[in-house]
Amino acid sequence: MSIKSIVEQRLSTAMIGLGLPTNTSPLVRPSVRPEYGDYQANGVMRAAKLAGENPKSLAEKILAAADLSDLVDFAEVAGPGFINLHLKKVFIAKKLSENDVKKIFKREPKIVVIDYSGPNLAKEMHVGHLRSTIIGDCIARVHEHLGNEVIRQNHMGDWGTQFGMLIAELECHMSSGETAELVLNDLEKFYQRAKARFDSESDFANKARKYVVRLQSGDQHCLRLWRHFIAISVQHNLSIYHRLNVSLKKDHIKAESSYNNKLEELVSRLSLSGIAIDDQGAKVIFLDDLSDKNGQASAMIIRKSDGGYLYATTDLAALEHRAKILRANQILYFIDARQALHMKQVFSAGRLAGLVSDEVSLEHHPFGTMMGKDGKPFKTRTGSTVKLENLIDESIQRAADLVKRKNSNLGENEILEIAKKVGIGAIKYADLSKHRLTDYIFNWDAMLSLNGNTGPYLQYAYTRICSIFKRAEVEMTECSAVVIINNTEEKTLCLKILQFNEVLEQVAEDSLPHLLCSYLHELASAFMSFYEKCPILKSTVLGETHQSRLTLCSKTGETIATGLELLGIEVTEKM
Ligand code: ARG
């Protein structure tokens, strides 16, 4: 159990013993300042209000009743009714000796479906897909680490009117003997060529429109071209995921088209039950809970008057699949803030129609935009969208320059291997360390800096710990001596290491990766203070103290490596 939970349990027991309502929590948190102790309980004021008591004297009563003797040196009531707890060093040291970074606390596992990335396959992956992909991937890793069953769903956009134009263009090229692989080698150019022809050649545009209809009605020729196109585009996406160290694999793809054969039945079911209503030839769901200021219900079209289905229809089918077939307890969507209304409609209609029961938690976790230095959405110098392929190449190039400057004894291959980890880590960390909801400015120099809250800083901190073990001629993983706390630096570091799991619980609860980044940065800083104050390898540092300090280094190193791994960032032993 975490320290936070242990303290919380002891205080809760005391509160229940005093007859306070069982739903009041002591709300234990790490203290915000050292003079407030190591942990503080913030929940007494609320409990006092509910019980009609004076908060300060209630806090005193709770403290008198609580059994904390093995945990704290002293505890005190502060301000209007806070409880500050100063933990015993031996208690912290004991917890740390038992602590295993890789092991999590046992609890009831949940099935968590996570919808992220979901690029449209008509085009090449670009920076617009980055945030959903890496934030979603981090949250998936964290839930898995905490023992939940995670089901990744990559809701790729592989269907829709654009595909008529794309397969018409593909057909032209293939009939003149070119291979699809070659023609689609640059997906972006291909899309632009098809679009230009669609806009300027009426014969081509007519053919493209006809192909959409043929595709939708299952015409074999059109389907074959479409499959060809999709296969190549999927391959491109998978290679980007691989380069980005994103855990999405082919098996996680559950694209829009996979729901095609469910839509007709779904819409007729919703019509029969009176949830979808005929409106000028279309089928519409009116959502009263989302009505506007004038009381006008929000309308969600699920079938157009020409019989076509929409993005929303597919999302309803996907929702039902996730709730009923995948048996999700929780469904998380990492999609751009601009789709907020769409998601609200899908959730509201899904509940109304009974596609998903009330117990299943449905959560849209939106995010802000990645901006350029000019404060506008990030673009290339010529104003086009930045392809992920190019962004990755540039990050590796820049990281290689950095590594060369830092350590000139490394060989070319070694530099490249390190640069891949550092470059990708820099991009991901820069994104994940910002609050998910805010826009942020993309800045190469800041993200590749070796100082501050950056990926390279943490990777570098890890290499420093590795070098301690090299000098000591011990394996980092082979240290598990009894930890002894002699000074504040050691105590602070121990507590930080122990808070890893508490932070992960919070990250999962709020889907906020930046909490993990801030934590890792604080951990690395606590380590640096410890390292300055506490010699490890000096000949004067003997026996138990030497072993204890090496163990602290090892636990710090493992925590940094595990934390970075949960962010989707790899560590390196040299840099
Ligand atoms: N393909 C969509 C887009 O690019 C994102 C899909 C998100 N997932 C979903 N279930 N709607 O905007």
Side-chain angles (χ1 to χ4, degrees):
M1 230 199 289
S2 68
I3 295 190
K4 181 179 145 202
S5 314
I6 295 176
V7 174
E8 205 144 53
Q9 213 173 51
R10 300 284 180 92
L11 291 175
S12 282
T13 309
M15 287 167 77
I16 293 166
L18 291 169
L20 291 166
T22 46
N23 63 351
T24 53
S25 157
L27 290 181
V28 175
R29 300 279 177 273
S31 295
V32 285
R33 283 204 226 151
E35 57 275 28
Y36 299 161
D38 304 310
Y39 280 82
Q40 57 188 65
N42 301 336
V44 179
M45 279 83 78
R46 185 171 167 270
K49 198 164 183 188
L50 291 175
E53 287 202 40
N54 173 293
K56 244 178 146 154
S57 62
L58 181 64
E60 296 288 359
K61 274 195 247 170
I62 293 172
L63 261 191
D67 171 18
L68 299 169
S69 56
D70 55 332
L71 312 183
V72 306
D73 275 334
F74 72 102
E76 61 193 346
V77 175
F82 295 103
I83 296 177
N84 294 342
L85 301 140
H86 299 256
L87 297 174
K88 271 190 158 59
K89 285 186 188 136
V90 284
F91 168 65
I92 299 172
K94 181 167 154 276
K95 283 305 279 179
L96 193 75
S97 299
E98 293 164 5
N99 182 57
D100 180 352
V101 178
K102 302 259 181 226
K103 234 175 58 211
I104 44 102
F105 311 117
K106 273 261 161 295
R107 57 182 174 80
E108 194 72 31
K110 285 184 296 188
I111 299 178
V112 186
V113 168
I114 309 189
D115 178 320
Y116 67 103
S117 197
N120 290 332
L121 295 183
K123 293 188 180 187
E124 206 167 315
M125 274 187 97
H126 56 82
V127 287
H129 301 114
L130 193 67
R131 300 211 74 189
S132 169
T133 305
I134 66 184
I135 297 172
D137 201 47
C138 167
I139 298 303
R141 288 166 188 256
V142 169
H143 274 283
E144 241 156 21
H145 182 87
L146 292 172
N148 289 323
E149 184 188 331
V150 170
I151 305 179
R152 292 165 172 79
Q153 294 282 282
N154 192 348
H155 195 82
M156 284 180 163
D158 65 344
W159 201 249
T161 50
Q162 296 139 307
F163 288 95
M165 152 188 119
L166 293 166
I167 59 179
E169 176 73 12
L170 183 60
E171 184 186 47
C172 283
H173 285 275
M174 287 175 74
S175 61
S176 62
E178 295 172 70
T179 65
E181 283 70 15
L182 200 69
V183 190
L184 296 176
N185 169 18
D186 190 329
L187 273 172
E188 200 61 29
K189 280 219 184 88
F190 181 85
Y191 179 90
Q192 276 156 9
R193 242 186 348 238
K195 179 85 171 76
R197 283 187 76 186
F198 185 83
D199 291 339
S200 63
E201 297 174 27
S202 63
D203 282 354
F204 180 81
N206 285 334
K207 188 171 175 186
R209 284 193 204 98
K210 238 190 280 160
Y211 274 21
V212 177
V213 180
R214 279 174 61 181
L215 190 62
Q216 283 170 345
S217 53
D219 172 86
Q220 281 309 318
H221 174 66
C222 287
L223 270 176
R224 214 172 309 126
L225 286 164
W226 172 78
R227 281 197 201 104
H228 223 114
F229 183 93
I230 296 301
I232 292 172
S233 184
V234 162
Q235 216 41 53
H236 157 78
N237 287 276
L238 290 175
S239 105
I240 297 276
Y241 294 145
H242 178 74
R243 294 189 75 194
L244 277 176
N245 191 32
V246 162
S247 64
L248 283 169
K249 300 284 177 310
K250 201 167 182 177
D251 290 352
H252 303 127
I253 299 173
K254 182 87 173 99
E256 288 183 15
S257 68
S258 71
Y259 298 102
N260 283 352
N261 60 2
K262 304 272 187 250
L263 305 181
E264 190 181 332
E265 186 274 332
L266 176 66
V267 172
S268 64
R269 187 162 23 113
L270 298 185
S271 305
L272 277 175
S273 61
I275 286 174
I277 289 162
D278 281 309
D279 192 65
Q280 300 165 51
K283 290 277 184 202
V284 185
I285 304 179
F286 289 97
L287 301 161
D288 291 326
D289 58 335
L290 299 178
S291 49
D292 63 15
K293 300 194 277 298
N294 308 320
Q296 196 84 9
S298 174
M300 178 188 191
I301 306 178
I302 58 170
R303 196 172 74 197
K304 293 188 285 187
S305 54
D306 67 5
Y309 301 108
L310 301 100
Y311 183 50
T313 328
T314 309
D315 252 324
L316 285 178
L319 183 58
E320 183 169 40
H321 173 75
R322 292 163 185 186
K324 294 189 180 158
I325 308 292
L326 303 180
R327 310 182 67 80
N329 300 114
Q330 210 179 343
I331 312 179
L332 314 179
Y333 293 77
F334 290 89
I335 315 178
D336 193 309
R338 283 169 299 187
Q339 293 189 29
L341 176 62
H342 166 75
M343 287 324 301
K344 275 192 192 153
Q345 291 184 323
V346 169
F347 294 168
S348 158
R351 299 251 196 238
L352 189 68
L355 305 180
V356 52
S357 69
D358 288 345
E359 292 84 70
V360 181
S361 156
L362 303 177
E363 305 170 23
H364 174 211
H365 295 295
F367 39 82
T369 310
M370 194 163 131
M371 303 291 202
K373 280 203 179 113
D374 55 1
K376 299 198 188 108
F378 189 53
K379 292 267 164 67
T380 62
R381 229 171 283 159
T382 57
S384 50
T385 51
V386 179
K387 294 184 197 179
L388 281 185
E389 194 82 68
N390 299 344
L391 191 79
I392 293 170
D393 289 341
E394 184 166 354
S395 76
I396 296 175
Q397 186 53 53
R398 285 176 182 262
D401 294 343
L402 173 77
V403 176
K404 255 183 241 169
R405 256 181 284 133
K406 188 94 201 134
N407 188 343
S408 52
N409 319 323
L410 297 168
E412 281 299 322
N413 281 341
E414 212 170 4
I415 290 179
L416 184 62
E417 282 315 303
I418 298 171
K420 281 185 196 164
K421 295 177 178 177
V422 175
I424 299 298
I427 295 183
K428 289 173 108 173
Y429 196 93
D431 193 298
L432 294 168
S433 60
K434 310 295 184 309
H435 192 295
R436 173 165 55 71
L437 292 173
T438 56
D439 295 343
Y440 75 92
I441 292 180
F442 187 89
N443 179 337
W444 285 117
D445 294 331
M447 70 176 75
L448 278 158
S449 166
L450 282 168
N451 299 308
N453 190 14
T454 69
Y457 170 75
L458 285 168
Q459 286 168 320
Y460 185 60
Y462 182 78
T463 63
R464 286 183 67 172
I465 298 175
C466 289
S467 74
I468 297 171
F469 285 95
K470 243 170 259 153
R471 273 181 285 143
E473 297 179 2
V474 203
E475 289 291 323
M476 192 192 289
T477 47
E478 275 166 19
C479 282
S480 52
V482 173
V483 173
I484 309 156
I485 299 176
N486 290 313
N487 53 42
T488 324
E489 284 75 13
E490 288 176 329
K491 179 180 163 190
T492 309
L493 181 59
C494 285
L495 267 177
K496 266 285 163 234
I497 297 172
L498 284 167
Q499 281 158 0
F500 184 50
N501 272 304
E502 296 171 14
V503 171
L504 294 181
E505 292 281 352
Q506 202 62 48
V507 172
E509 173 84 25
D510 303 332
S511 289
L512 290 176
H514 81 276
L515 298 174
L516 176 54
C517 296
S518 308
Y519 164 80
L520 290 173
H521 183 240
E522 288 163 20
L523 173 65
S525 311
F527 178 79
M528 292 308 173
S529 311
F530 154 82
Y531 189 64
E532 270 164 40
K533 177 76 188 278
C534 309
I536 304 163
L537 303 176
K538 259 199 193 148
S539 54
T540 47
V541 182
L542 297 171
E544 286 179 330
T545 308
H546 168 72
Q547 290 301 333
S548 164
R549 287 182 183 167
L550 268 185
T551 301
L552 274 180
C553 293
S554 147
K555 296 214 186 244
T556 307
E558 278 181 33
T559 307
I560 292 180
T562 308
L564 286 176
E565 189 184 314
L566 295 176
L567 295 171
I569 298 174
E570 293 174 282
V571 289
T572 156
E573 289 190 13
K574 279 190 226 161
M575 208 166 138

